[in-house]
Amino acid sequence: MSHRPYVIDEMISAKAIAARIEGLAREISTEFADTDKLVVVGLLRGSFVFIADLVRELDLPVEVDFLEASSYGNGMESTREVRILKDLRGQIEGRDVLVVEDIVDTGHTLAHVTKYLASRKPARLKTIALLDKPARREVDFKASWTGFEIPDEFVVGYGIDFAQRNRNLPYIGKVRFTDSPA
Ligand code: IMP
């Protein structure tokens, strides 16, 4: 847990996020137009705001489930070793699945989670990440849909935390420490 003082500079406004989600939802609704039921899987906890807004824009029959994978703990660095902390409640074999993530950073989390879910033989397995930091990638992973590509900055808001704080900001902001030069 960091006790260093910081401020948050807005990077992506709530309005820009809403507009982008509308566009993404249209593409996803087209891709899955023939599905009898799409299982939308949110990765806890960072995706909870994104998934809530996204599913309300989808013009499809959807079921919502959640999965929790270990991530940063309380720091700013990825642990790289990904573990499943909470599994899905429902079955996905033969179903169409969309995994919803907040950020693809090193890529370890989504690479691991998609491999894990693919072993259950879904009919289609797609991924969406609100944010992508390509400069930080350590494993070759690209989400099927991405909201915004961002530079290598630590961000918070719209569900995303820094040591469990700032998830409730309606926009995406960048953390700037005030005890050292920017
Ligand atoms: P990856 O496994 O390195 O791709 O990490 C993905 C996870 O790291 C995300 O789901 C977030 O929980 C966390 N993460 C990555 N970048 C940030 C950030 O800038 N702020 C807060 N959490 C982040």
Side-chain angles (χ1 to χ4, degrees):
M1 165 103 195
S2 169
H3 295 287
R4 292 174 62 193
Y6 65 92
V7 293
I8 297 165
D9 300 324
E10 183 171 301
M11 185 189 257
I12 308 170
S13 70
K15 215 173 145 188
I17 296 170
R20 182 70 184 119
I21 289 177
E22 250 186 71
L24 290 165
R26 268 197 303 273
E27 287 180 33
I28 292 165
S29 298
T30 305
E31 167 78 24
F32 290 103
D34 59 344
T35 197
D36 59 335
K37 204 191 287 163
L38 178 66
V39 186
V40 183
V41 173
L43 296 198
L44 292 171
R45 286 171 261 177
S47 74
F48 81 104
V49 177
F50 181 35
I51 192 174
D53 283 346
L54 182 68
V55 292
R56 283 179 290 176
E57 293 293 332
L58 291 178
D59 191 15
L60 295 170
V62 299
E63 194 173 293
V64 175
D65 207 338
F66 291 97
L67 185 132
E68 184 172 9
S70 59
S71 66
Y72 280 23
N74 271 343
M76 286 178 119
E77 280 305 314
S78 169
T79 53
R80 288 182 183 84
E81 186 201 282
V82 181
R83 284 173 302 123
I84 304 298
L85 302 179
K86 182 212 164 293
D87 211 331
L88 299 178
R89 290 291 294 274
Q91 303 297 321
I92 56 164
E93 186 173 345
R95 312 282 302 277
D96 291 328
V97 176
L98 176 67
V99 180
V100 181
E101 171 68 312
D102 55 355
I103 310 180
V104 185
D105 187 39
T106 63
H108 288 287
T109 305
L110 266 187
H112 181 91
V113 166
T114 48
K115 211 167 136 193
Y116 179 73
L117 295 179
S119 71
R120 295 188 188 164
K121 313 254 179 299
R124 257 182 296 185
L125 180 60
K126 298 278 184 182
T127 51
I128 180 167
L130 180 67
L131 306 175
D132 187 0
K133 293 195 232 176
R136 297 254 312 161
R137 202 70 93 254
E138 291 177 7
V139 291
D140 187 21
F141 184 87
K142 181 117 185 69
S144 318
W145 292 277
T146 297
F148 303 89
E149 277 198 7
I150 60 167
D152 181 9
E153 301 281 2
F154 196 82
V155 295
V156 292
Y158 198 73
I160 301 165
D161 74 304
F162 176 28
Q164 300 309 323
R165 300 190 60 177
N166 311 123
R167 290 192 197 271
N168 57 326
L169 288 176
Y171 56 86
I172 300 285
K174 128 184 173 187
V175 168
R176 179 163 52 86
F177 291 104
T178 49
D179 61 350
S180 62

